[in-house]
Amino acid sequence: MPSLLMTNRTLVIVNTTGRQGASVARVAAAVGYHVRAHITTKLSEKDGAVAKELRELDNIEIVEGSLEDNKLISRLFVGAQRAFINTISWGDEVAIGKALANAAKKAGVQHYVYSSMPDHAVYGHDWPSLPLWSCKFTVENYIRQIGLPSTFVYTGIYNNNFTSLPYPLFCMKLQEDGGFQWTAPFNPDKPLPWLDAEHDVGPAVLQIFKDGLKKWSGHRIGLAYELLTPRQVCAAFARGLKRPCSYKRGPITVEVPIPNGYRAQLEGIEVLFGKHEAPYFGPDGKAPEEALELWEGYRGMEEYAREVFPLEEAANGLTWMH
């Protein structure tokens, strides 16, 4: 690994090819941060377009390698003042999350923003843990225990999850009349929190750093800009695409191969938010008030459907928009 550059505005980002990390990297580099962008080798190959874009931006230093490499982790935060961490299941996410936090504390990172999620089981009510969320909550608690100066963002459902490809939960299935139908287990009239991750995470996280720990130390921020029911989501799509769009409440169907961990997550979602209709961020979650304090220029669902959804569909080889 090349020697790490250091300035008094160095920001470490983990999972920089993901929607959250890439959003933070783009905005931070544009306003003059030196961004130390970690990319795993596998993700660099998988998300080639994003990795290529990041390599071409000014103020971005790419650090590539496995987060199971303790030597890499120990060097990642050297000389850095701030960090944005969004781990995913590359392996033992809890062990990796703890190792990152330990290294950041040892390096003297002044503000550590960790993308967490709630573990609904801690609230009782027979609510299940979601396996891809509960590990993040475990890491969040560890970060608090070791006294690392930190803020925690809980992201809403990505607008960008929608696709007409046959992926489970957020498939906008193309209909014979040219419209779309979304089938999911959510109550059609219960609001859910939504976020355009690529557009809005970066500006919000940069404002967290700007406001600093005096305002956000130890705080959980529900990062979502719209509370929309499934019916309202479909109405926004209909307006944006100028095509019919309807919602149907039904079970999650899996028509393509998915990892076992994601299958367990989907099963939990069906129980937690379908059967129990639990609040998405837990009973203490707040949105969108605090998110709007951070960033008011968000991209809403209708704008996403009109401006972005057709481009993402075309990038996936689909032609319905023509």
Side-chain angles (χ1 to χ4, degrees):
M1 184 171 67
S3 61
L4 300 177
L5 301 176
M6 301 179 199
T7 75
N8 61 3
R9 278 166 60 87
T10 296
L11 167 62
V12 172
I13 301 176
V14 167
N15 188 16
T16 319
T17 56
R19 292 189 188 274
Q20 294 184 43
S23 180
V24 175
R26 293 181 186 112
V27 176
V31 300
Y33 275 92
H34 171 72
V35 175
R36 188 176 297 154
H38 172 264
I39 300 174
T40 71
T41 302
K42 289 182 180 180
L43 285 178
S44 178
E45 294 169 354
K46 176 185 174 185
D47 299 326
V50 177
K52 183 176 184 294
E53 174 199 353
L54 295 172
R55 293 178 195 280
E56 294 174 352
L57 292 177
D58 293 335
N59 300 326
I60 291 186
E61 168 196 5
I62 300 294
V63 178
E64 191 168 336
S66 170
L67 289 179
E68 295 178 321
D69 180 347
N70 291 330
K71 290 183 179 179
L72 182 145
I73 286 182
S74 68
R75 299 186 63 203
L76 191 58
F77 298 97
V78 173
Q81 294 76 44
R82 299 172 180 85
F84 175 74
I85 310 297
N86 177 31
T87 55
I88 59 174
S89 51
W90 293 307
D92 186 337
E93 190 170 349
V94 172
I96 289 171
K98 289 181 177 181
L100 288 166
N102 288 335
K105 185 176 183 184
K106 183 177 180 180
V109 168
Q110 298 164 14
H111 197 169
Y112 193 87
V113 175
Y114 179 73
S115 184
S116 187
M117 287 304 279
D119 182 355
H120 284 76
V122 304
Y123 299 107
H125 310 291
D126 292 324
W127 292 348
S129 290
L130 298 182
L132 301 185
W133 289 12
S134 59
C135 55
K136 296 181 183 296
F137 189 73
T138 298
V139 174
E140 174 187 334
N141 286 333
Y142 181 77
I143 292 167
R144 294 178 185 277
Q145 289 166 13
I146 66 172
L148 182 59
S150 53
T151 304
F152 305 94
V153 292
Y154 284 31
T155 56
I157 305 171
Y158 294 1
N159 300 354
N160 321 74
N161 283 343
F162 285 110
T163 175
S164 67
L165 294 170
Y167 296 141
L169 191 56
F170 293 104
C171 174
M172 279 284 184
K173 190 171 183 178
L174 187 63
Q175 305 294 295
E176 290 184 0
D177 65 358
F180 293 92
Q181 184 176 74
W182 174 31
T183 301
F186 308 120
N187 183 325
D189 298 309
K190 187 177 180 67
L192 296 165
W194 297 92
L195 168 71
D196 191 306
E198 289 191 358
H199 188 269
D200 298 322
V201 172
V205 169
L206 264 290
Q207 189 62 45
I208 292 171
F209 288 135
K210 184 176 180 180
D211 291 343
L213 292 164
K214 185 175 181 180
K215 183 169 186 179
W216 300 115
S217 178
H219 202 77
R220 293 172 179 153
I221 299 171
L223 202 56
Y225 286 93
E226 292 183 303
L227 294 178
L228 301 175
T229 70
R231 293 189 203 274
Q232 290 172 328
V233 168
C234 288
F237 260 76
R239 293 192 301 271
L241 296 175
K242 300 190 185 308
R243 293 168 178 250
C245 185
S246 62
Y247 178 72
K248 177 183 176 183
R249 189 175 191 177
I252 299 172
T253 58
V254 178
E255 300 177 8
V256 295
I258 60 173
N260 287 335
Y262 187 49
R263 186 178 296 274
Q265 180 82 359
L266 292 173
E267 291 170 354
I269 286 171
E270 198 155 27
V271 174
L272 182 63
F273 299 122
K275 177 182 176 182
H276 292 292
E277 298 185 9
Y280 194 80
F281 292 134
D284 303 322
K286 296 179 181 178
E289 295 81 8
E290 290 181 335
L292 288 168
E293 284 186 48
L294 296 169
W295 167 240
E296 294 183 341
Y298 68 92
R299 182 158 60 198
M301 189 66 74
E302 182 177 342
E303 182 182 355
Y304 166 77
R306 182 178 64 250
E307 304 293 339
V308 181
F309 183 69
L311 297 178
E312 293 186 335
E313 291 279 275
N316 286 326
L318 300 163
T319 59
W320 56 261
M321 68 291 299
H322 302 309

